[in-house]
Amino acid sequence: MLHDKFEVPTSHILSIQSDTRRATDRAIGSPLAPHRTEAPSLGSQIDDTEGHLLVPIGAIVDLLGAQPLEIDELRDHLGSALRIYARRFEGRSEVALLQRGSDERWKHLGWNPVSSDINVFWYARTVLDGTQVRYELDSAEVRLI
């Protein structure tokens, strides 16, 4: 990792997500599936070539401290692909992304100072797994709202 002092937190906060991803095939028509199309759950699955997540920093700012806190995660068919962290540093809120690299190591994409909610835009590439199309995270970026 780029920052040796970065510690992986042990607690998670559920973010409110609003994204452009399609509902997964297994959830359609399932009696146990929720009746809404947006799934505000930690560890959402990437199942399209691009999308975004709304991360409500303003709603959790009072919970942030110096210790980085994982607030959401994106998963692709290989597992955890992107982790979103937040912290308070020198009196301001900051967010960071950790992305799984092609070598299976986590790449820290740097801390970004924020003063409001953010969107995390992500892009994925399609890969063929037998006859099935799968999606792997390619890149992600933080954008201020």
Side-chain angles (χ1 to χ4, degrees):
M1 288 188 2
L2 296 175
H3 300 282
D4 293 334
K5 294 182 181 180
F6 187 79
E7 297 177 24
V8 177
T10 57
S11 57
H12 302 281
I13 292 179
L14 178 64
S15 73
I16 299 170
Q17 299 180 11
S18 171
D19 61 35
T20 58
R21 293 173 287 166
R22 307 184 301 262
T24 58
D25 293 338
R26 68 179 181 274
I28 297 173
S30 169
L32 300 176
H35 295 292
R36 57 186 169 166
T37 57
E38 295 177 11
S41 61
L42 191 65
S44 295
Q45 187 73 25
I46 294 173
D47 60 3
D48 204 348
T49 56
E50 63 182 61
H52 72 276
L53 298 174
L54 171 65
V55 181
I57 298 298
I60 63 169
V61 72
D62 292 336
L63 301 174
L64 299 177
Q67 175 69 30
L69 185 65
E70 183 177 359
I71 55 177
D72 210 341
E73 173 185 54
L74 282 175
R75 301 177 64 78
D76 60 17
H77 76 103
L78 298 173
S80 182
L82 182 74
R83 294 179 179 161
I84 305 164
Y85 290 87
R87 71 178 181 183
R88 296 273 305 158
F89 182 73
E90 295 180 356
R92 67 174 187 240
S93 299
E94 295 183 328
V95 296
L97 303 178
L98 265 70
Q99 182 176 342
R100 184 193 66 226
S102 58
D103 60 358
E104 297 295 320
R105 296 180 63 140
W106 288 98
K107 180 180 176 183
H108 192 284
L109 302 181
W111 287 102
N112 300 285
V114 296
S115 58
S116 64
D117 298 346
I118 61 166
N119 275 318
V120 175
F121 282 81
W122 54 265
Y123 305 92
R125 60 185 165 271
T126 55
V127 294
L128 219 47
D129 184 13
T131 59
Q132 210 168 25
V133 174
R134 306 241 187 220
Y135 300 93
E136 286 182 17
L137 181 69
D138 185 48
S139 64
E141 61 186 44
V142 173
R143 294 188 193 165
L144 301 177
I145 295 179

